[in-house]
Amino acid sequence: MPHTTQIFQVSTLYGAATLAAALDAGRYGPRGGARRILLVSNNAALPETALRLDEMHGYGPIAGRFDSVISWNEAISPYHPSTWGPRGNDTTLWQRAFRLQWDIDERDMIELAVESIQVNPARALAAIFSEAAVDVYADGLMSYGPTREKLPLTIARRIRRLLHLDLIPGLKPLLLSEYGVKPEIVPDEAFRGVLDEISVEAADDPRLAPVLDEAPTAVLLGQYLAAINILSAQEEEDLHVRMLTGAVRAGHRSIVFKPHPTAPAGYSAALSKAAADAGVRLTVLDAPLLAETLYDRCRPELVVGCFSTAMVTASAYYDVPVARVGTALVMQRLKPYPNSNRVPLAVVDHLVPDLEREETPTVVGAAPETLSPLVRAIGFCMQPKTYPALRDTTADWLRTHLGDTPAYYFPAPRLAELRLPGSSPRARARVQAGRAKRVVGRAVRRGTRKK
């Protein structure tokens, strides 16, 4: 008799926690109703040297919700999860191989839950299990932005829903909306319950004890933006120092820095020097645990970051006031304009007080009326061919609000390229001239190759 096997693909503990909350909330039926496989993918550039998911505090309780755990890296070795995908003619062979390797009966139905459906490994899994229903889960602010790339209809038609956390109540995700995919909220109480489990499991980590002893009142979040070529390493070090300076100016004398897991040690050293110069206590927490565990254990009075999702979870699940630093700089550096970080940046820039302007930190609540139109206008400018229905509303919004909006949200060249309000005839002429040069250049290169 055929059964159902559910395959849950994860690459981060935060994503795994989101799926665990969805399971606890009954989004995948009762335990025992289907076989559940946790498929773990390590997408780091050098997976062999990166922190593994099973080394993170809280992994054990989450993995216990599944019937088996499988390594995607081992399954496709020696290929890299971010770059490998099956050739079109080989998908049937790969499905047979994985069914055999993972002990899935050839008659069993497959259901997939994946992250980032636009790229591998999610894209590869959807192609291999070509008859499977697909759920996409989003565990951060990127769910509010547009779909990065057009999906093949053979995949898009199989996506049943977008599972997401309600980080900004009232703001509806734009992701996958062009395919009619309905967003479905993972309940706050279920996710907070999973976070509490993780926190309890991490309580005995000896690296957490010095942090608790210092009783920090402010937490600084590192993101390692140099790794994705948005800032230089020096600029990112400076950004962390700016966070510290802002926290000190706000009256905090005991501060903890939670670096990005892949950040170099030099970042912490530069920050330590700045703390010593300012005469404040700084503790660097370089341990394999979520920032949310730190909030639960330390109960800070302030969380400072650039545009990390962990800033919003501090407010949404722990009622901690938050403040931002450096969003304008990072927004100006984002290239190309459709960069997926643009909407998360805009959301934080719009909602969270600027610490360097001495704005009062606040708990982020429900989305104000101004946020959704702004996000949709940015979404259209990022992916105009994907969301043509948003063109008129975007143009109307720009006519009314562009003068009151920071210039880095809607750069003049982008408005000119899309022929939207706010662009001058001269800017549009420059864009048209640039296009003409590129067309001529391509024609010349083609002609040269033929000779």
Side-chain angles (χ1 to χ4, degrees):
M1 179 178 177
H3 297 87
T4 297
T5 295
Q6 298 167 335
I7 300 174
F8 299 84
Q9 176 256 321
V10 300
S11 64
T12 67
L13 186 64
Y14 196 93
T18 303
L19 284 177
L23 291 175
D24 292 351
R27 296 297 189 263
Y28 285 93
R31 182 72 185 262
R35 182 188 173 200
R36 295 172 177 172
I37 296 176
L38 182 64
L39 186 64
V40 178
S41 172
N42 187 334
N43 300 337
L46 296 173
E48 297 80 7
T49 62
L51 184 70
R52 299 195 314 269
L53 193 61
D54 60 5
E55 296 175 318
M56 296 282 291
H57 288 301
Y59 169 81
I62 289 176
R65 290 170 166 82
F66 299 86
D67 299 303
S68 56
V69 179
I70 295 171
S71 168
W72 179 244
N73 294 60
E74 292 178 5
I76 65 169
S77 178
Y79 300 105
H80 192 283
S82 297
T83 57
W84 181 82
R87 293 180 297 183
N89 295 334
D90 294 343
T91 54
T92 301
L93 293 175
W94 279 109
Q95 181 176 156
R96 288 175 181 170
F98 288 140
R99 280 181 179 268
L100 181 63
Q101 185 178 357
W102 300 342
D103 194 27
I104 302 174
D105 190 278
E106 62 180 12
R107 297 170 297 172
D108 282 5
M109 295 174 54
I110 301 290
E111 295 179 356
L112 294 173
V114 299
E115 58 184 357
S116 302
I117 186 61
Q118 308 97 316
V119 296
N120 292 319
R123 188 81 166 258
L125 285 165
I128 290 168
F129 296 101
S130 56
E131 301 85 16
V134 179
D135 290 346
V136 176
Y137 69 92
D139 56 18
L141 295 174
M142 283 189 183
S143 65
Y144 297 116
T147 311
R148 185 165 58 187
E149 296 177 6
K150 187 175 182 180
L151 297 176
L153 286 179
T154 53
I155 293 178
R157 276 182 242 172
R158 291 188 282 131
I159 301 176
R160 300 184 300 186
R161 55 186 172 174
L162 171 68
L163 291 165
H164 71 100
L165 300 172
D166 197 21
L167 297 174
I168 312 290
L171 182 61
K172 188 176 180 180
L174 191 56
L175 181 67
L176 298 174
S177 61
E178 69 273 27
Y179 300 110
V181 176
K182 300 298 183 184
E184 186 174 320
I185 293 171
V186 177
D188 287 350
E189 58 273 17
F191 187 65
R192 179 58 196 268
V194 175
L195 292 179
D196 289 346
E197 278 186 57
I198 294 173
S199 179
V200 169
E201 205 267 346
D204 295 332
D205 190 311
R207 286 164 289 191
L208 193 57
V211 178
L212 299 177
D213 290 342
E214 295 295 343
T217 59
V219 174
L220 312 182
L221 299 173
Q223 284 184 253
Y224 197 22
L225 300 174
I228 51 178
N229 300 316
I230 294 177
L231 298 180
S232 69
Q234 182 61 54
E235 287 172 328
E236 186 149 27
E237 284 190 52
D238 293 342
L239 183 63
H240 296 155
V241 171
R242 289 165 58 187
M243 293 179 189
L244 177 81
T245 303
V248 172
R249 190 185 304 115
H252 296 274
R253 312 303 297 174
S254 182
I255 299 169
V256 61
F257 176 59
K258 178 72 172 66
H260 190 279
T262 57
Y267 280 16
S268 301
L271 198 61
S272 296
K273 182 181 183 304
D277 292 343
V280 298
R281 292 193 303 273
L282 175 71
T283 309
V284 177
L285 180 59
D286 189 9
L289 50 79
L290 294 177
E292 288 74 17
T293 297
L294 192 57
Y295 307 153
D296 182 67
R297 292 291 155 183
C298 295
R299 300 295 174 180
E301 299 170 7
L302 171 68
V303 170
V304 184
C306 185
F307 65 103
S308 171
T309 294
M311 295 170 64
V312 185
T313 58
S315 276
Y317 302 112
Y318 298 92
D319 294 322
V320 180
V322 295
R324 61 180 167 89
V325 171
T327 50
L329 170 66
V330 177
M331 185 84 84
Q332 290 165 4
R333 295 294 179 83
L334 279 188
K335 293 191 183 339
Y337 189 85
N339 189 301
S340 297
N341 292 297
R342 192 168 299 277
V343 164
L345 264 166
V347 169
V348 172
D349 190 82
H350 191 73
L351 294 181
V352 178
D354 188 333
L355 192 62
E356 293 184 300
R357 293 182 181 177
E358 300 189 22
E359 296 175 355
T360 304
T362 188
V363 173
V364 176
E369 293 181 359
T370 54
L371 183 59
S372 183
L374 171 65
V375 167
R376 267 137 182 79
I378 294 174
F380 171 76
C381 291
M382 290 173 66
Q383 301 290 350
K385 293 182 180 178
T386 303
Y387 304 95
L390 294 179
R391 182 177 184 87
D392 290 344
T393 55
T394 298
D396 292 341
W397 188 91
L398 288 170
R399 291 188 190 97
T400 305
H401 299 284
L402 186 60
D404 303 322
T405 304
Y408 50 77
Y409 280 27
F410 301 97
R414 187 64 175 180
L415 295 179
E417 184 179 356
L418 299 177
R419 303 185 68 82
L420 286 169
S423 60
S424 66
R426 181 177 296 180
R428 290 196 293 270
R430 283 198 297 268
V431 169
Q432 290 173 346
R435 285 177 177 168
K437 286 182 179 179
R438 289 192 292 273
V439 170
V440 171
R442 285 194 292 267
V444 170
R445 288 191 293 274
R446 283 198 299 269
T448 301
R449 284 196 296 268
K450 289 179 180 178
K451 292 179 181 179

